[in-house]
């Protein structure tokens, strides 16, 4: 099920599924009081990202580590199943997650508003 923007129009999900798992796009906001999902945010074109407040500063990779830790915990997969492949120094991050696509899709849908 796609998220809705402020005008009621359907937005694409911030993840894609394939045979090995899922790829999640995140828009991270570091230095929050706690790590939490803020919803789905629109990006350029028709793409979207999962908004995520991060309770870590963007120093020495701390925020990136917190993103990976949080995603692994929320999707109930091992830390090694989540990899940060793009966005090491950007707010927009792309993370492939290895696992059963059906199980991951249900967990990801559970994170969406």
């Amino acid at each position: 099920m796609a998220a809705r923007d402020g005008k009621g129009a359907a937005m694409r999900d911030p993840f894609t599924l394939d045979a090995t798992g899922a790829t999640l796009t995140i828009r991270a906001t570091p230095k929050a009081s706690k790590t939490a999902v803020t919803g789905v945010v629109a990006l350029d074109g028709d793409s979207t990202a999962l908004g995520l407040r991060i309770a870590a500063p963007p120093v020495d990779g701390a925020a990136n580590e917190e993103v990976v830790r949080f995603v692994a915990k929320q999707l109930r997969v091992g830390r090694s199943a989540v990899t940060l492949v793009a966005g090491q120094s950007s707010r927009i991050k792309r993370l492939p997650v290895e696992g059963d696509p059906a199980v991951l899709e249900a967990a990801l849908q559970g994170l969406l508003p």
Side-chain angles (χ1 to χ4, degrees):
M1 175 188 298
R4 303 267 171 198
D5 67 11
K7 300 173 187 123
M11 294 173 61
R12 292 179 48 175
D13 287 329
F15 61 88
T16 58
L17 300 170
D18 62 28
T20 62
T23 300
L24 177 62
T25 302
I26 288 179
R27 184 178 189 286
T29 303
K31 298 194 292 188
S33 59
K34 69 176 191 171
T35 300
V37 173
T38 60
V40 177
V41 295
L43 300 177
D44 291 338
D46 66 345
S47 61
T48 61
L50 185 67
L52 194 61
R53 291 182 307 188
I54 305 299
V59 178
D60 296 330
N64 290 337
E65 282 299 317
E66 178 65 6
V67 166
V68 171
R69 185 203 65 76
F70 182 80
V71 168
K73 181 178 179 181
Q74 295 302 307
L75 300 182
R76 294 180 289 286
V77 297
R79 161 65 186 83
S80 63
V82 181
T83 309
L84 178 64
V85 296
Q88 285 82 356
S89 61
S90 169
R91 286 182 184 255
I92 307 300
K93 303 181 182 301
R94 196 170 70 240
L95 299 103
V97 182
E98 294 178 14
D100 181 327
V103 173
L104 290 174
E105 180 178 26
L108 286 162
Q109 289 293 346
L111 290 177
L112 302 179

